[in-house]
Amino acid sequence: LMHAAHATLLLQPTMTTLRPFRMDDLFRFNNINLDVLTETYNMPFYLQYISQWPEAFTVAEAPDGSLMGYMLGKAEGAGKLWHGHVSAVTVAPTYRRLGLARTLMEDLDKLSTDVYNANFVDLFVRASNGLAISMYESFGYVKYRRVLGYYSGDDVEDAWDMRKALPRDKNKESTIPLDHPIRPEDLEW
C-alpha cells in the first residue's frame, strides 16, 4: 500500500525523497539510530512494522542515498479509539532543524486520515523531554494523559501520551486531557 503523501519534497538546501522503508534500510540507518535521542528496538520489532504496516514505515532519503530520518507508525484500536500511532520518528543529527520531523509527522497524519480513517494520532514521549514535547505541541498535539513509569530500564520515567485529533473526530473528544495519570497496564492498546 502506498499513499499519495510519499513523494519528493524540497527541503532547503537538499532534495529529499520520502519512500517506504525497505528491508535493506535496516543495514543503513545507523547514522540515525546511534543517536542518544533515538529509541532503538530489536530487529523483530522493525520486521513486524515492515510486514504489518509497510505504508506507515517511511524513510527520508537524501540525494546521495543516505538516510536522513524515518517514521515508524501503525494503526490500532477500535471504535472511537481507532487511531494512527507514532512508534518512532527520528532524524539524523546532521539533518535536524530542516523541518523533516514535521514532514514525517504530516505524512503519518495524512495516512491516518486518508487511508486509516482514524479518529486521532498519538505518541508517547518522555516526560523530561521538553524539546520534543514543544515540537509535538507545535504540530498540534496535546498532552492527553501522563503514563507513570512507562519507560522502564535503568532510568524509569513517566511518559506523556500526546494526541492530535483528525477530521473524523469532529468534536475533538479524543484529545480532551484526562485529569489523572494512568499506569502502563491501564493502556488500551
Side-chain angles (χ1 to χ4, degrees), residues 137-149:
E137 288 173 336
S138 77
F139 298 165
Y141 285 76
V142 299
K143 292 179 186 172
Y144 173 68
R145 60 187 170 181
R146 191 176 192 106
V147 184
L148 302 173

Side-chain angles (χ1 to χ4, degrees), residues 50-156:
I50 290 172
S51 65
Q52 289 189 293
W53 304 283
E55 70 282 0
F57 197 173
T58 305
V59 66
E61 187 175 62
D64 68 0
S66 62
L67 301 185
M68 302 167 72
Y70 66 84
M71 163 64 70
L72 187 61
K74 65 180 177 178
E76 62 186 1
K80 286 188 174 187
L81 293 178
W82 176 245
H83 66 282
H85 177 72
V86 178
S87 296
V89 60
T90 187
V91 175
T94 54
Y95 295 107
R96 291 193 181 138
R97 304 253 182 237
L98 297 174
L100 192 52
R102 178 182 295 276
T103 299
L104 289 164
M105 294 290 287
E106 288 172 351
D107 189 60
L108 186 66
D109 289 353
K110 184 166 178 42
L111 175 70
S112 297
T113 299
D114 297 346
V115 177
Y116 299 150
N117 192 27
N119 292 298
F120 61 95
V121 176
D122 80 341
L123 59 88
F124 294 93
V125 60
R126 289 182 182 274
S128 65
N129 193 343
L131 190 61
I133 292 167
S134 294
M135 179 184 72
Y136 295 133
E137 288 173 336
S138 77
F139 298 165
Y141 285 76
V142 299
K143 292 179 186 172
Y144 173 68
R145 60 187 170 181
R146 191 176 192 106
V147 184
L148 302 173
Y150 180 81
Y151 292 99
S152 58
D154 294 336
D155 295 321
V156 175

Side-chain angles (χ1 to χ4, degrees), residues 14-42:
T14 62
M15 191 65 114
T16 302
T17 302
L18 288 189
R19 63 166 174 76
F21 198 92
R22 298 186 305 243
M23 292 289 283
D24 65 333
D25 292 330
L26 292 168
F27 304 106
R28 302 176 53 229
F29 70 172
N30 281 348
N31 65 314
I32 303 166
N33 269 10
L34 295 179
D35 178 65
V36 296
L37 299 176
T38 299
E39 295 286 334
T40 57
Y41 305 96
N42 59 33

